[in-house]
Structure formats: structure tokens, C-alpha cells
Amino acid sequence: MNLMTIMRQISARFTSGVSSSNSDQASQMARFRHYQKEAQKDVLDEPLHELPMVVFDLETSGFQPDYGDSILSIGAVKIKGSSILHDHFYKTIKPKRTPSAEILQLTGLTTAELEQSEALKDVLLAFYQFVGSSTLIAHHAAHERRFMRHATWHELGRTFTHRLIDTSFLTQLTAAHQSFEQLEEWCHAYDIVVGNRHHALADAHMAAQLWVKHLVVADHAGYSTLSDLYKALAAKK
């Protein structure tokens, strides 16, 4: 076999691999666009105990995505009503610049682990595949919203359209007498075990437990849909 033949075979294998990779990503993008459309459907009057939701958490290198801070890991768990499902998502992300030593210490992540991780675009597509059209929930959701808007637009060229609800959406009604801020404060108050704080999946699981505990209280108080909750919150203002 001469050199030219070998080079043609290598080129064919490489081209085939690239084509397959591009095809997979195009398929993921198509599904993502479908999920975005589905996520925009009105679910306000669907019973809360039937509404699929995903509680998620981001660990980031800072607080300002417009100034170079990035998502380092995403953790998420699925819930339905007051049940936490045995279905979770966790991925670390290869950053474009190394996080500070303080951030690495806080999150428990290592530079070696991050360097071996997938790119943000690939992790985002995998995350949206996990989420589907579910309603999203996060503790201190403004942080997650800021980074998801930035990442979805810059990496996927799309606007972040999934409904995202803060845990305080419930606790303002079910625990109006309490004014905790930090997730661990809420967990201690409601007998939720705090472990591995600032790990995206662990934090997502703690936030999920907090949500379902208060969802049960909301249900007993007669709030059965998101619409009921929105109306009750509006009446408090």
C-alpha cells in the first residue's frame, strides 16, 4: 500500500468522524429548538402535582458573565409534584480561563478535572436534553438566569426561554415569617441534611428537597397551580 492510499484512508476516516460529530450536534440543536418551543406553552393552570420540573444549580467562576466569568459545573434533579425522581444530571465544564484559587477551594473543583471536561456548548446541549421542556427551579435564581441567558445566547445563538422559578416563589407564601437567604439556612430550618455545599449537584438536591417540602405546605393551603401561586403573591404586594 503506497503513501497516497494510506493518506486517503486516514482522510476518509477523519472526514467521516467529523461528519458524524456535526450530524450529532445538528440533531441536538434541533431537539433543543423543539424543547424551547414546548417550554413556552402555558402551564400556569396545570396541576402542580403533575407538572414536570427540574431543580438545578450552577457553580461559576464569579458573578458577571458579561465580564468573563463562566459556568464551571451544572447539577440538576428532576421532580414531579412532591416527589424527587431518581434522575439527575451533573457535568463539569472546561473553562476558557482558569478560575481563581478561592473559587476552586469553594467548589472543590480542580484545574485537572476542569481541563478534562467538555466544552460549554456540549454541556449546555446535554443539559437541555435532560431538561426537555420542564419548568426550571433554582435557589437565588437570578444568578442562574443571568448565566443561562448569557451562555445560551453566546454558545447556541438562542434566547433563554425556559420558565425559571426561584424557591422563594413558594417560601414567600409558605414561610413568610422567615427571612433566610442562604440555602444552608433554609435547610437547617427544615431538617434537610447539608452536605458537600457548593457542589452543583448537591446544592440542586438540597434545593429540590426545600421546594418539595414547601410544595406540600402550599398544596395543603389550597394552592394547586402556578396560577394560584402567582395570584397569591400579587395580592401580597
Side-chain angles (χ1 to χ4, degrees):
M1 185 181 295
N2 60 36
L3 181 60
M4 187 62 71
T5 301
I6 294 173
M7 291 300 291
R8 286 198 193 99
Q9 290 179 347
I10 293 174
S11 176
R13 285 198 296 270
F14 177 76
T15 301
S16 174
V18 170
S19 175
S20 175
S21 176
N22 288 342
S23 176
D24 289 345
Q25 197 165 85
S27 177
Q28 286 180 308
M29 280 298 297
R31 289 196 297 271
F32 164 57
R33 289 191 292 269
H34 170 73
Y35 297 142
Q36 280 199 307
K37 286 184 179 179
E38 289 293 307
Q40 293 177 60
K41 290 183 177 179
D42 186 2
V43 297
L44 292 181
D45 293 318
E46 288 191 26
L48 284 169
H49 67 270
E50 294 180 3
L51 190 62
M53 295 181 169
V54 172
V55 185
F56 80 111
D57 180 80
L58 304 179
E59 293 303 324
T60 61
S61 62
F63 298 97
Q64 301 295 333
D66 291 328
Y67 292 93
D69 292 326
S70 62
I71 302 172
L72 302 177
S73 61
I74 305 178
V77 295
K78 289 184 178 180
I79 63 174
K80 193 168 185 181
S82 58
S83 298
I84 299 176
L85 307 181
H86 297 292
D87 198 357
H88 68 268
F89 176 96
Y90 179 71
K91 281 184 180 289
T92 54
I93 296 159
K94 185 174 183 178
K96 293 179 181 177
R97 65 185 189 191
T98 304
S100 68
E102 291 78 12
I103 290 295
L104 293 175
Q105 183 177 15
L106 179 69
T107 61
L109 298 168
T110 66
T111 52
E113 179 183 14
L114 293 173
E115 281 302 312
Q116 295 170 7
S117 301
E118 297 175 65
L120 177 56
K121 181 176 183 178
D122 295 324
V123 174
L124 278 176
L125 286 172
F127 175 66
Y128 279 120
Q129 174 72 26
F130 175 81
V131 170
S133 60
S134 298
T135 297
L136 295 171
I137 300 166
H139 188 71
H140 289 169
H143 179 74
E144 274 70 22
R145 180 178 284 106
R146 190 180 307 122
F147 275 87
M148 289 302 294
R149 281 176 173 172
H150 186 275
T152 303
W153 177 253
H154 285 274
E155 297 295 328
L156 305 179
R158 306 284 293 188
T159 302
F160 176 65
T161 59
H162 279 66
R163 183 184 298 275
L164 173 55
I165 298 173
D166 195 292
T167 52
S168 66
F169 181 72
L170 267 184
T171 58
Q172 286 180 69
L173 293 174
T174 58
H177 60 292
Q178 295 174 320
S179 57
F180 302 125
E181 288 292 331
Q182 300 304 316
L183 179 59
E184 59 266 33
E185 293 178 310
W186 282 104
C187 289
H188 289 316
Y190 287 90
D191 297 322
I192 298 168
V193 176
V194 176
N196 211 4
R197 187 74 170 91
H198 297 296
H199 181 285
L201 182 56
D203 283 3
H205 201 271
M206 284 184 275
Q209 292 179 74
L210 178 66
W211 176 270
V212 299
K213 278 178 178 283
H214 285 271
L215 191 64
V216 170
V217 176
D219 182 60
H220 289 163
Y223 305 115
S224 59
T225 66
L226 287 177
S227 181
D228 291 339
L229 295 171
Y230 276 117
K231 289 174 182 175
L233 285 172
K236 284 172 62 70
K237 294 181 179 178

